[in-house]
Amino acid sequence: MTLPPLDRIPPQVASLSDYEALARERMSEASWAYLNGGSGDEWTLRENTEAFARIPLRSRVLREMAGATTRIELFGMELAAPILLAPVAFQKLAHVDGELASVIAAGALDSAMVVSTQASVSLEDIAAHAGGPLWFQLYIQPDREFTAALVRRAEQAGYRAFVVTVDAPVNGLRNREQRAGFAVPSGIAAVNLAGMRPLPPASPEALLFGTPLIESAPTWSDLAWLRDLTRLPILLKGIVDPDDAVRAIDAGMDGIIVSNHGGRALDGVPATIELLPEVAQAVAGAVPVLMDGGVRRGIDVLRALALGASAVLIGRPYVHALAAAGAPGVAHVLRLLRAELELAMAFTGCSTITAIDASVIARRP
């Protein structure tokens, strides 16, 4: 039996991790497995959070902090802090209001939300409730005409950028979901994909290779097609290799998101915080580099910015808060992270986001 969402956030909730147990009590076993599972043995899933603890910080004292701020500008959008809500599918699995609660919280905290192609609320309804900038996460579908229509819908609804996920042409092997028997419940659906032509059935003897799904997976040539469709900024999400980052810039992409899909794609890929510096070095400031995966504290945000990120995205933590307390929970998570980031900046002597650099990292002997 699951509990109803909280109508008041307990004062004992002092960090993002405190929401996990509250969320667990309010989600079904199968939905919990879907949200929190990773692929394979979940090594990458664990590494995403554990790797942050291996990056020590250097405290600095007596720095001038008058006028300190966490505000940033990103693609012409002003945000209260370099923290965005990552695209997470089927948020009605966590709370009856789903993505509407998340977007209301993002607007209240002057943050941006990246809306999933597989949202359980239409992209237009989400936009109608938005109080801040929206980006649209795009899976390039096998039906390219339908994909083009999605792009036009997002533009017409006022979305400000596209985030193209490129690291998940197929689902990873997620044993936790399989063991829990996860299936999208009746009444919840990827509503933005309604009416898309289905793929033809695969041959009974085929595993993955030779199936219509893998045969129609997007390639670099599709980026040129997409670039011609829109003048909005396009970011590629799922870049972990420096050469791919450079190739994306050459293809006209406007930003990079270093991501291993939250450990849900290829197990065995290192933590994103470990992959970030090499990608940022290859990009060399040509476009903004963002990252997601494992951010649980404001000091994690500081670490990511010090290693080359312009901003971070959070996923599972805000959906835990969504399940626990709806829009107030998501807003609380954003506020907690920003408060912790301000503390971290004060202790490391950084009065602005642009002042954060590799000097705040204490190198081990």
Side-chain angles (χ1 to χ4, degrees), residues 76-363:
M77 294 165 265
E78 288 214 5
L79 303 174
I83 304 164
L84 295 80
L85 298 186
V88 178
F90 302 121
Q91 291 186 26
K92 283 191 175 183
L93 291 172
H95 190 278
V96 65
D97 293 335
E99 289 82 1
L100 296 184
S102 298
V103 78
I104 289 169
L109 270 292
D110 198 12
S111 185
M113 177 175 174
V114 186
V115 174
S116 172
T117 292
Q118 295 178 302
S120 49
V121 178
S122 76
L123 65 91
E124 290 86 359
D125 284 349
I126 295 169
H129 288 78
L134 288 179
W135 298 359
F136 187 72
Q137 178 264 339
L138 183 70
Y139 285 112
I140 297 177
Q141 302 295 326
D143 186 340
R144 299 299 194 262
E145 290 181 12
F146 189 92
T147 304
L150 270 180
V151 169
R152 290 191 292 270
R153 285 175 58 190
E155 288 179 331
Q156 291 166 4
Y159 287 73
R160 305 277 295 275
F162 288 101
V163 173
V164 181
T165 297
V166 295
D167 63 347
V170 296
N171 284 332
L173 185 62
R174 300 174 196 159
N175 298 129
R176 201 191 306 195
E177 286 178 37
Q178 184 178 357
R179 293 180 186 120
F182 175 75
V184 179
S186 174
I188 298 177
V191 295
N192 294 307
L193 299 180
M196 185 174 65
R197 290 176 299 191
L199 285 170
S203 169
E205 65 271 11
L207 298 174
L208 174 60
F209 292 165
T211 63
L213 180 62
I214 198 68
E215 295 289 335
S216 61
T219 66
W220 288 101
S221 63
D222 289 293
L223 295 185
W225 167 80
L226 181 62
R227 181 71 281 172
D228 287 339
L229 279 181
T230 182
R231 299 180 67 180
L232 291 179
I234 302 174
L235 297 85
L236 291 196
K237 179 178 179 291
I239 299 295
V240 296
D241 182 86
D243 292 340
D244 282 347
V246 173
R247 187 169 183 180
I249 296 169
D250 291 341
M253 301 298 100
D254 303 287
I256 300 295
I257 302 179
V258 180
S259 173
N260 55 32
H261 214 82
R264 295 169 65 82
L266 176 63
D267 197 27
V269 174
T272 47
I273 193 63
E274 294 185 338
L275 297 164
L276 171 64
E278 195 174 1
V279 173
Q281 184 177 15
V283 170
V287 299
V289 175
L290 289 71
M291 68 84 66
D292 70 11
V295 173
R296 298 294 184 271
R297 287 280 190 179
I299 55 173
D300 296 339
V301 180
L302 183 84
R303 287 163 167 144
L305 299 177
L307 294 174
S310 298
V312 305
L313 300 92
I314 59 169
R316 289 181 177 94
Y318 87 83
V319 184
H320 291 157
L322 172 66
V330 179
H332 189 221
V333 156
L334 287 168
R335 184 175 176 82
L336 281 172
L337 270 184
R338 195 172 105 198
E340 291 179 353
L341 175 59
E342 289 186 7
L343 277 174
M345 291 171 64
F347 281 120
T348 54
C350 300
S351 61
T352 64
I353 297 301
T354 56
I356 301 171
D357 61 23
S359 67
V360 307
I361 305 296
R363 302 296 178 187

Side-chain angles (χ1 to χ4, degrees), residues 4-82:
L6 297 164
D7 55 14
R8 181 180 61 86
I9 298 171
Q12 295 83 3
V13 177
S15 70
L16 271 61
S17 62
D18 291 333
Y19 274 108
E20 189 165 346
L22 296 173
R24 179 67 189 87
E25 297 171 333
R26 289 162 175 83
M27 295 181 68
S28 70
E29 187 71 31
S31 295
W32 182 256
Y34 171 79
L35 172 62
N36 289 281
S39 61
D41 295 320
E42 300 187 344
W43 180 84
T44 296
L45 174 66
R46 294 188 297 273
E47 274 290 288
N48 271 353
T49 53
E50 293 172 3
F52 276 101
R54 299 195 290 267
I55 304 172
L57 298 173
R58 187 190 308 277
S59 181
R60 304 301 298 270
V61 300
L62 301 176
R63 298 296 184 94
E64 179 63 57
M65 297 300 292
T69 180
T70 61
R71 296 196 70 84
I72 65 164
E73 182 178 321
L74 197 59
F75 298 110
M77 294 165 265
E78 288 214 5
L79 303 174

